Amino acid sequence: MHHNMNMLEILKREAIYLWYYSDIQLRQIFWYWGIGILLGSAISVFAKKWIHAAAEFLGRKIPGIVGLALASALGIASPLCMYGTIPICAAFSQKGVKDDFLAAFMMSSILLNPQLIVYSAALGAKILAVRIASCFLCGIVAGLLVKVYCGKGKSYFDFTGFDSPRDHDTDKNLFLRYVKNVWRNIRATSPWFLLGIALSAVFQRYVPEDVMSRVFGGSKAWGVLMAATVGVPLYVCGGGTIPLLLDWLSDGMSVGSAAAFMITGPATKITNLGALKIALGAGHFALYILFVMLFSFAIGILVNLIL
């Protein structure tokens, strides 16, 4: 009986600690999550068609590095997930947009969107700037590599079988269209957001700070490599990883390691990989994975050298 009482007291104490850490994290980042949803839905409802029309026009009219930079920027501005982005790119391809422009647009779209930009602001201005710059650069580099590859007369993508993406924003009442989009956004992201909060609380309570500092800290290549590798299995939803990154950065994770994690995570998210495997084929898909790992490692090292 006494043993059972002690166990109950221990469980109660641990539950209080976990709730305390979760409450702190929630207070820190809830408003970023909420504002991100409102902004992301606004762009999806009111600006999505303009962004994609601009991408199609620029993809046919502006070649070279300038076109790739614009493609990468528009990919970041696009609010669609990868399953929505690939059919859009399939339509672009049919209208004459080249593979290098599509690669830059798709790569940056995988890594970042307006909603995730707002979430990431919770990590501080420096981390936010690094995330935007590294994702933008990743899109450009992906486009350049595909341009070199396609210069040999090859096609990088196979969009056979991709239909136009289904448009959920069809309500005739503009306000109701926006409200419905916000609600879909909340339903899609809130479970992963809360899971991220819970995992962060567990890390804070049970993983010593010096462990995280040794694994992810400093400017050594090992920390960047570990962050890039951990990003593969841990990343499920962008909003869900913000609490974890906030905790890890406070425990000594280097900015370069965070940058590597923020590249490999979304780039290898299982739902993104499923769509990309279809559009790329086995060989090009393997090249994509290799590129993601090498770029994330290089950008992590570079960021640590600069900052």
Side-chain angles (χ1 to χ4, degrees):
M1 183 69 177
H2 180 69
H3 175 74
N4 289 338
M5 287 295 293
N6 283 341
M7 182 60 68
L8 286 174
E9 286 298 319
I10 291 171
L11 291 174
K12 181 180 178 181
R13 182 194 67 199
E14 295 307 308
I16 291 171
Y17 273 118
L18 291 173
W19 173 255
Y20 171 74
Y21 290 127
S22 298
D23 183 58
I24 290 175
Q25 283 279 14
L26 196 60
R27 290 172 187 271
Q28 281 184 291
I29 64 176
F30 174 80
W31 294 109
Y32 293 99
W33 175 72
I35 293 169
I37 283 178
L38 296 176
L39 176 64
S41 291
I43 291 172
S44 185
V45 171
F46 303 115
K48 177 174 60 183
K49 290 182 179 178
W50 291 96
I51 292 168
H52 295 156
E56 181 192 330
F57 175 80
L58 295 172
R60 288 189 283 110
K61 299 294 183 181
I62 302 181
I65 190 71
V66 175
L68 295 181
L70 290 170
S72 189
L74 287 168
I76 290 172
S78 174
L80 290 182
C81 67
M82 188 43 45
Y83 274 101
T85 298
I86 289 181
I88 285 286
C89 287
F92 289 169
S93 182
Q94 290 175 358
K95 294 177 181 179
V97 178
K98 293 183 178 179
D99 280 3
D100 57 340
F101 187 95
L102 297 178
F105 181 87
M106 288 174 63
M107 188 74 246
S108 64
S109 181
I110 289 171
L111 297 178
L112 202 55
N113 58 54
Q115 192 165 318
L116 190 51
I117 288 174
V118 177
Y119 290 169
S120 301
L123 302 173
K126 181 166 67 174
I127 305 296
L128 176 62
V130 166
R131 182 164 212 175
I132 294 172
S134 60
C135 292
F136 176 66
L137 182 61
C138 190
I140 294 173
V141 173
L144 287 171
L145 291 174
V146 168
K147 184 178 181 67
V148 171
Y149 182 88
C150 293
K152 301 173 183 177
K154 300 178 181 179
S155 177
Y156 197 75
F157 299 104
D158 179 9
F159 293 119
T160 306
F162 281 99
D163 299 320
S164 298
R166 181 185 173 190
D167 189 358
H168 294 280
D169 300 312
T170 55
D171 198 294
K172 292 181 179 179
N173 185 305
L174 202 59
F175 176 72
L176 287 178
R177 193 186 308 174
Y178 176 66
V179 170
K180 287 178 180 179
N181 192 290
V182 168
W183 177 239
R184 285 197 304 272
N185 212 335
I186 290 172
R187 285 190 303 171
T189 62
S190 57
W192 303 113
F193 175 74
L194 293 174
L195 177 61
I197 294 284
L199 287 175
S200 175
V202 169
F203 269 96
Q204 283 184 283
R205 176 60 180 156
Y206 301 113
V207 180
E209 288 185 19
D210 63 321
V211 171
M212 302 307 295
S213 181
R214 287 200 305 270
V215 173
F216 296 132
S219 58
K220 295 179 181 178
W222 173 252
V224 174
L225 180 62
M226 284 298 297
T229 305
V230 166
V232 175
L234 268 187
Y235 200 101
V236 180
C237 172
T241 57
I242 298 300
L244 288 172
L245 283 168
L246 197 63
D247 181 35
W248 293 345
L249 286 162
S250 68
D251 285 348
M253 183 185 216
S254 70
V255 178
S257 294
F261 180 90
M262 291 186 289
I263 295 290
T264 59
T268 59
K269 189 168 72 168
I270 192 67
T271 50
N272 287 343
L273 292 182
L276 284 166
K277 178 69 165 57
I278 298 170
L280 297 179
H284 293 169
F285 181 73
L287 290 175
Y288 166 79
I289 296 295
L290 178 63
F291 164 70
V292 166
M293 297 306 295
L294 290 176
F295 181 87
S296 63
F297 181 72
I299 204 72
I301 296 296
L302 181 63
V303 167
N304 277 342
L305 288 173
I306 294 172
L307 298 179

